[in-house]
Every structure is written in structure tokens, then in C-alpha cells.
Amino acid sequence: MEYDVKDLNLADAGKKRIEWAERNMPVLRAIRKRFEEEKPLNGVRIAGCLHVTTETANLMRTLKAGGAEVRLAASNPLSTQDNVAAALVKHYGISVFSITGEDNETYYRHLASLLDMKPQITMDDGADLVATYHKKNYDFDVLGGTEETTTGVIRLKAMADNKALKYPIIAVNDALTKHLFDNRYGTGQSTLDGIIRATNILFAGINVVVAGYGWCSRGIATKARGMGSNVIVTEVDPVKALEAVMDGFRVMKMEKAAAIGDVFITSTGDINVIDKIHLDKMKDNAIVCNSGHFDVEINKNYLKDKAKKSYTARDFVETYIMEDGRRINLLADGRLINLSAAEGHPSMVMDMSFANQSLSAEYIWNNYKKLEKKVYVIPTAIDVNIAKLKLKTLGIEIDELTEEQRKYLSSWEIGT
Ligand code: NAI
């Protein structure tokens, strides 16, 4: 079996962590059990370019239980948990190509190793694997792929619009049981977790500026408020901005917020959301970090060029001393803070995201002949099924429409 991980001696520690995560992933466990019995992915080659975490390990185990041959590489050079990668190779017989902190060349060499298996299905988190496949003329066709995150879906939709997309994609991110929970509650909690682990700051009583009021950013804003921060939201979308206002947040331009904030968190998918003019206005000792997919949201090159000095104050904290003596602390070099300094989303929420991934892989395998080269929203039946399963595992029962209610409601739908 081919693989490239840091150290196989870490495998036992990784296995314990994977099993710990599994305890909080009941929906995925139920899918794995069915997959073990039915083998719906028998012989299918699946390549995953995802964060190499304990939760992803459980997704890989599920796909393998369904009969698939799987390979995994990181979708971000900083998020790999080396003991998890080692455990997947040693204890679960899964080929992993990923080492935390790998350089750009290694990162793409690892993606090439995924494509060496001639995958029939790809799973992406940020669309780097799809993009790598599209850059060369490979001698095999991919039947379909899945995409885990907002930024990846945006990239793939642009490729589809330009008629450049070579195979169909299921936008797992767009499932309600994904972004309403993973992006909001998962990113919300784990972003603060990453900041706390990196800095040990107290959130109570400080000014936290959150850029964006989308699914991730509203989660971050809400959790920061829950911890006692005075939260300021910046937005470019008038409706989202209004929502933030009505939810009780202060909303203003980043230019104004820059002078007030103690901690700045971006999660927009956009470029230079914190730019030169903002960095120039920040208070001494401001903390700046990002939870959006790419490390483009903070103009870190400006910090690097303009600072007279910089030093690593703690793991994941680089302090830049500006000409005027102000210190600006950039966390995790502007990369996803929750996956760099913390462990990413808690298993309980990844349970649903990866249930969506597993069922989407099964859906692609069963339906690829009918699918066109475009980005599909996940079928509603899968979404509803996952919500039902999750409620069941939480021991929560809900009402069902009676026949009378169903008739009443559908009569309104047809306008009678
Ligand atoms: P979204 O589309 O729901 O929200 C993005 C928001 O940012 C929008 O409301 C948009 O109007 C706003 N925005 C865009 N440019 C802005 C600017 N210059 N200033 C202020 N606001 C601006 O997207 P979602 O799902 O919240 O994802 C955001 C990013 O986070 C994406 O890059 C996504 O891939 C990533 N992501 C990260 C995760 C993590 O674990 N850290 C998990 C899931 C998604």
C-alpha cells in the first residue's frame, strides 16, 4: 500500500482519537453499518482531499466499509493530525498522503498521488483536487465528485458556468444539514477554540470584530457574544447586515471597526477583507485571524512588508511590530484558525456533514449516467433523511402531519 505520513509510530494514539470521535458520530455509524452489509460502493475508487482529522478518518472508514478503495490527502497543509494519518494507514489500511506543515510542492505531490489511483469519485474541501485534475489531460474519466465547503462550491460553479467542468459535482456544502449546522455551530465554536488555544485570551469584555454575517461568521459572532464579547459585524450584503442589526449586533464599516477591535475574525471567502487601511488603524496588540477557506482574507503581505520586525510570540502567533511601534498579532499565518490551532469542528456536527458525503458518494455511483457536468444541490431526500437520523440519535421525536393537515396545507399550495 502506498502512503506518505509523518511517523507510523504515532498510529496507536491516532486510533484512540478516531474512536473517541466515532462515539459522537452516530449517524455516520448507522450509515457504516448499512454500508458493511450492503457494500454499495463495492470496488469504487474514491480519492478524498479533505482535512485529515479524526472525523474525516471516520468518513474514510465508512467508505471503505461500503466496499470502496480509498485514498486521502490533506486539503490544507496545516490541518493534518499526523497521528490520525498514521492510524489510518496502520490500523485501517487506508492510503494517506499528508504531513502537517508540508510545503506547497509536497501538497501538490500528494494530490497527484490521489490521482494516480484513477479515482472514479473525488471528494474535495476547497476544490484543489478537481482543479489539479483539470490542469492536465489525464487518461481516465472521473464519474463525479463532492464538494464540502462554500469556497469550493463557488469555484466549481464558476468552472461549470465557463463550461470547463469535466464531471458532475454534488455540493455537499449546500445541504441544509451541512451548512446550517457545520458552518454555523461548528465554525462558530471551533474558531473561538482555535483563538483561545493559540492566545489564551479572555473573550469576556473585549471588542470582537467579525467580518461577514454568512453561515460561518454568524456562528462566530453568536458564540463570541455568548462568551461576553462586544461583537461588531461588518458586511457588504445589505440584507445580511440588516439581519445582524436585528440580531442585536453593532454593524459598521471595517474602516471604523479597525480602530475599535481587540480581535478581528474574517470568514467571508473574500480577498483583503482586512486590508492595509484597516491594519494601519488597529490598536496596539490587536489580534487578527481568519476562518475562511483560503489565507487571502487578511492582507498579510502588507504586514510582512511593512513591519520593522516580527517574532513568534507563541505557537500560531506571529507578532508584527510596525514602524510606529504598534504590535499586530497574526494567528496561523492567516490560515483557517480552527483547523490550524484547534481540531476543526467537533465530531457531533461533522457527523451530519460526513453523512452527506457518504450518501452523496453512493448517489453518484448509482446515478452518474444521468448526471450532467454541473454542480448539483444535494437531493432533498438525503438531507431530510440525515435530519431524521440525527434527531433519532438525539432521542428526539417530532410530530408528523396528519392526513387532514397534509390536505389542508396542500390545498393552499394549489391556491384553493
Ligand atoms: P456565506 O456565503 O454564507 O457567507 C459569507 C459572507 O461574507 C456573506 O454574507 C458575504 O456577503 C460576506 N462578505 C463577502 N465579502 C465581504 C467583505 N469584504 N466584508 C464583509 N463581509 C463580506 O459563506 P460561509 O458558508 O459562511 O463560508 C465563508 C468561508 O468560510 C468560505 O471560505 C468557506 O469555504 C469557509 N468555511 C470555513 C470553515 C472552517 O472550518 N473554518 C467551515 C465552512 C466554511
Side-chain angles (χ1 to χ4, degrees), residues 51 125-126 147-152 154 173 178-179 182-184 186-187 190-191 210-218 220 234-238 240 254 266-274 290-294 297 336-339 344-345:
H51 299 290
D125 187 329
E147 173 50 56
E148 172 76 9
T149 198
T150 316
T151 286
I154 292 169
N173 180 74
K178 198 281 183 181
H179 67 264
D182 168 317
N183 299 30
R184 180 162 39 167
T187 315
S190 62
T191 296
V210 179
Y213 203 63
W215 291 110
C216 294
S217 34
R218 74 183 50 202
I220 298 166
T234 71
E235 250 297 346
V236 290
D237 178 325
K240 302 264 180 67
M254 181 59 87
T266 56
S267 191
T268 66
D270 196 3
I271 191 167
N272 291 336
V273 176
I274 294 185
N290 168 51
S291 223
H293 188 78
F294 286 119
E297 304 212 11
L336 296 158
I337 183 63
N338 62 333
L339 281 141
H345 299 168

Side-chain angles (χ1 to χ4, degrees), residues 23-188:
R23 291 190 211 174
N24 278 317
M25 303 185 86
V27 177
L28 198 60
R29 278 204 313 271
I31 293 172
R32 191 166 87 218
K33 191 162 174 285
R34 176 171 70 78
F35 274 18
E36 259 158 14
E37 289 157 13
E38 297 176 6
K39 300 279 176 216
L41 298 170
N42 217 6
V44 183
R45 294 184 303 280
I46 303 180
C49 174
L50 303 161
H51 299 290
V52 181
T53 62
T54 52
E55 293 78 22
T56 305
N58 282 302
L59 169 62
M60 294 297 118
R61 290 172 67 196
T62 306
L63 299 172
K64 195 174 174 207
E69 185 193 332
V70 280
R71 282 192 178 195
L72 174 66
S75 57
N76 183 298
L78 282 188
S79 60
T80 297
Q81 297 166 5
D82 288 314
N83 53 17
V84 170
L88 279 171
V89 172
K90 188 170 167 190
H91 295 298
Y92 300 106
I94 291 170
S95 288
V96 182
F97 303 85
S98 175
I99 299 170
T100 187
E102 63 195 10
D103 60 22
N104 216 31
E105 194 192 321
T106 315
Y107 178 79
Y108 282 102
R109 181 160 46 77
H110 284 158
L111 295 196
S113 301
L114 294 186
L115 294 172
D116 285 348
M117 82 179 307
K118 304 191 178 197
Q120 291 155 302
I121 295 176
T122 60
M123 284 188 173
D124 254 295
D125 187 329
D128 278 354
L129 182 58
V130 180
T132 306
Y133 174 80
H134 279 69
K135 274 182 197 144
K136 265 210 221 165
N137 270 328
Y138 282 92
D139 63 353
F140 63 93
D141 290 329
V142 180
L143 306 178
T146 63
E147 173 50 56
E148 172 76 9
T149 198
T150 316
T151 286
V153 172
I154 292 169
R155 280 177 92 183
L156 292 161
K157 280 186 178 159
M159 286 167 74
D161 288 347
N162 295 328
K163 307 264 177 279
L165 191 64
K166 291 185 184 165
Y167 57 89
I169 300 286
I170 304 284
V172 167
N173 180 74
D174 294 357
L176 295 176
T177 48
K178 198 281 183 181
H179 67 264
L180 289 180
F181 303 92
D182 168 317
N183 299 30
R184 180 162 39 167
Y185 301 108
T187 315

Side-chain angles (χ1 to χ4, degrees), residues 40-41 44-46 120-124 142-147 167-172 356-371 374 376 378-379 382:
L41 298 170
V44 183
R45 294 184 303 280
I46 303 180
Q120 291 155 302
I121 295 176
T122 60
M123 284 188 173
D124 254 295
V142 180
L143 306 178
T146 63
E147 173 50 56
Y167 57 89
I169 300 286
I170 304 284
V172 167
N356 275 298
Q357 284 282 10
S358 312
L359 298 185
S360 295
E362 184 184 27
Y363 179 81
I364 290 171
W365 184 238
N366 290 336
N367 294 285
Y368 69 87
K369 286 187 187 137
K370 287 185 256 168
L371 299 176
K374 58 186 201 186
Y376 287 87
I378 210 155
I382 293 185

